[in-house]
Amino acid sequence: MRSVILLLVLLAFTFSCKQKEETPKVEEKQEIVSESLLKNIGNPSKGKAHLPRLVTQNGALHMTWVEQEDSLAVLKYASYKDQNWSTPKEITSGTDWFVNWADFPALAVNGETVLTNILQKSADGTYDYDIKLNLIAGNKVVKSNFLLNTDGIPAEHGFVAMRPYDDGFYVSWLDGRDTKNKKKEDNQMTLRAAIVTLDGTIKEDTVIDSRVCDCCNTAIGITYNGPIVVYRDRSKGAEEIRDTYIVRWVDGSWTTPKAVYNDQWQLNGCPVNGPAIATQEENLVVSWFTASQDMPRVLVTFSQDNGATFGTPVRVDAGMAIGRVDTAFLKDGSALVSWLEPLGDQVVLQAVRVYQDGRKEAPITITTTSAARASGFPQIEIMDTTVYVTWADLQGDSSQIEMVSFEL
């Protein structure tokens, strides 16, 4: 499966752009954000830095990132408030990590407690690695490098998503322990979820889907009813339909997985292009990439009932999208969605405001970037009326983290 990843990453450039009658019309107008509207935000990353992750919490912007020098990888954390960064804190480091453009460390903040993770090699196999969690509170390390997956099987464990939940965190991840089964019918990647308490106790570790796509990121949100997880599913049998699915915690148990929308994308491999989600009280917004019907595109849909039902998806890209989506709610219930797509001879990071009734504003271009895997997944966060955007800027064999903000 891994041998097809590079080909699939370039999928957007090779598909036919023929459109069918039912394809939603895409606005052609492009509004480029002028430099006078974009504010460059210096950040404390140094050297070869990449894999930034942003979270807004407690009136501050929180960021983790990875710095690398030769074989040494260092996970760092800092917060941004009142236009100032805190002193960067080294959370953990190692020479035995699995560092990957698509399987980046996750980040969540609950009060003063910060939870994040790294992936540590567990055996000689290329994709044998475990999820190690780290908890910090202020300048105190609560618990460091403790296992999330406790199966003890050398297999792939990763693509972590996490959110604050009650007195702790809810965490989801892809778990490959069953991929080492000898019986082919049981040899599947699974989706699991668990609660991590503020002292690092792991409880209620549960399989919530027994067959999912192997290497697309998961996304987790918290609604009035409780946690929900969106992810790329994998149908049973030979069909290989890989649409975006949702599972919800309702009345003390997880619901049966169901499609957010039936794209019917048939693909004999993993596109390494998972969904994004944001929640606001009982409202959800989900954005995702699909290339069903040979049309690479980015779709957005809303739910007003904690994810039980969804409206008709809205297409936001201008054609031949690459994906790598992110999304965030605004106070008025609209959402900002970001993604990568070609624009002329360049690849650009786009963003658009979408409303729950299906309206959308003209997309804006945040920056030019690269379709290369190393450019990773750009991140957006919104605090009050300010949008913060960060990404990895490639510089030959190196990279640095860039960040801008603008007002809506």
Side-chain angles (χ1 to χ4, degrees):
M1 180 274 297
R2 294 283 179 172
S3 64
V4 302
I5 286 179
L6 180 58
L7 173 62
L8 294 168
V9 169
L10 299 176
L11 195 63
F13 294 105
T14 58
F15 275 120
S16 162
C17 51
K18 179 181 178 182
Q19 304 213 357
K20 305 196 180 208
E21 291 182 1
E22 66 269 25
T23 302
K25 292 182 179 180
V26 181
E27 297 190 30
E28 296 179 356
K29 180 182 177 183
Q30 295 282 333
E31 179 183 339
I32 307 299
V33 178
S34 68
E35 292 185 3
S36 63
L37 296 178
L38 285 176
K39 178 183 177 182
N40 287 309
I41 306 292
N43 66 84
S45 63
K46 296 180 179 179
K48 182 180 180 180
H50 59 154
L51 307 180
R53 194 71 177 171
L54 289 181
V55 167
T56 53
Q57 191 79 4
N58 306 327
L61 187 70
H62 304 263
M63 183 173 80
T64 54
W65 67 95
V66 174
E67 294 178 6
Q68 285 188 268
E69 184 175 352
D70 298 325
S71 61
L72 178 66
V74 182
L75 178 64
K76 291 189 174 183
Y77 161 82
S79 61
Y80 182 76
K81 189 173 184 179
D82 298 329
Q83 301 185 10
N84 290 299
W85 285 99
S86 66
T87 301
K89 180 177 182 59
E90 180 179 320
I91 296 178
T92 187
S93 63
T95 58
D96 58 350
W97 293 6
F98 180 79
V99 181
N100 182 266
W101 67 282
D103 200 352
F104 37 77
L107 170 65
V109 180
N110 190 339
E112 298 299 318
T113 304
V114 175
L115 176 66
T116 187
N117 77 283
I118 57 97
L119 305 175
Q120 185 179 55
K121 296 287 292 182
S122 61
D124 293 334
T126 303
Y127 302 107
D128 293 339
Y129 48 85
D130 292 323
I131 300 166
K132 293 289 186 74
L133 299 175
N134 283 272
L135 275 169
I136 61 173
N139 291 319
K140 179 183 177 182
V141 176
V142 178
K143 195 172 184 179
S144 62
N145 292 322
F146 60 104
L147 270 172
L148 174 61
N149 58 286
T150 56
D151 51 286
I153 297 174
E156 181 178 353
H157 308 81
F159 296 94
V160 180
M162 53 182 66
R163 283 287 188 272
Y165 179 68
D166 291 341
D167 294 329
F169 304 87
Y170 228 107
V171 181
S172 63
W173 72 98
L174 298 189
D175 193 294
R177 67 186 69 180
D178 290 346
T179 63
K180 297 302 178 79
N181 288 337
K182 293 182 179 180
K183 292 182 179 180
K184 186 176 180 180
E185 61 271 20
D186 298 327
N187 189 328
Q188 308 297 333
M189 181 65 73
T190 63
L191 176 66
R192 301 184 76 97
I195 291 175
V196 179
T197 66
L198 294 180
D199 65 1
T201 301
I202 298 171
K203 59 183 185 179
E204 299 183 26
D205 180 350
T206 307
V207 176
I208 55 178
D209 194 323
S210 60
R211 178 181 165 96
V212 300
C213 201
D214 293 68
C215 46
C216 281
N217 54 284
T218 65
I220 195 168
I222 307 297
T223 72
Y224 275 171
N225 281 346
I228 57 172
V229 184
V230 292
Y231 56 99
R232 192 174 298 281
D233 192 51
R234 183 182 179 189
S235 65
K236 295 181 179 179
E239 267 193 316
E240 295 289 6
I241 302 299
R242 299 179 187 246
D243 289 345
T244 296
Y245 268 56
I246 184 171
V247 288
R248 303 177 296 122
W249 181 260
V250 178
D251 297 330
S253 62
W254 289 100
T255 60
T256 301
K258 74 171 188 176
V260 172
Y261 181 73
N262 289 303
D263 299 317
Q264 293 294 299
W265 187 12
Q266 187 174 30
L267 184 66
N268 293 316
C270 180
V272 199
N273 222 325
I277 187 173
T279 58
Q280 187 182 76
E281 299 175 343
E282 72 275 15
N283 297 309
L284 277 70
V285 58
V286 179
S287 59
W288 71 97
F289 170 82
T290 182
S292 63
Q293 302 173 342
D294 289 352
M295 291 185 293
R297 59 201 187 276
V298 172
L299 299 177
V300 181
T301 186
F302 291 88
S303 171
Q304 298 176 340
D305 54 10
N306 300 292
T309 61
F310 287 90
T312 302
V314 177
R315 183 177 178 180
V316 295
D317 66 285
M320 303 300 289
I322 297 170
R324 306 191 201 175
V325 299
D326 199 11
T327 191
F329 263 119
L330 287 89
K331 287 185 177 180
D332 67 354
S334 64
L336 195 70
V337 179
S338 67
W339 71 97
L340 300 184
E341 71 174 36
L343 181 61
D345 296 330
Q346 299 177 318
V347 171
V348 293
L349 172 58
Q350 299 284 80
V352 69
R353 189 174 190 171
V354 184
Y355 295 87
Q356 297 198 31
D357 62 6
R359 292 178 297 121
K360 61 180 184 288
E361 297 182 356
I364 58 177
T365 297
I366 305 298
T367 185
T368 57
T369 183
S370 170
R373 292 181 296 174
S375 66
F377 285 69
Q379 296 280 291
I380 60 171
E381 280 290 315
I382 300 174
M383 191 159 53
D384 295 325
T385 60
T386 303
V387 180
Y388 295 90
V389 188
T390 188
W391 67 95
D393 182 37
L394 301 186
Q395 301 177 341
D397 293 332
S398 187
S399 64
Q400 68 181 31
I401 294 172
E402 299 287 351
M403 183 181 294
V404 298
S405 69
F406 62 92
E407 298 294 324
L408 287 171

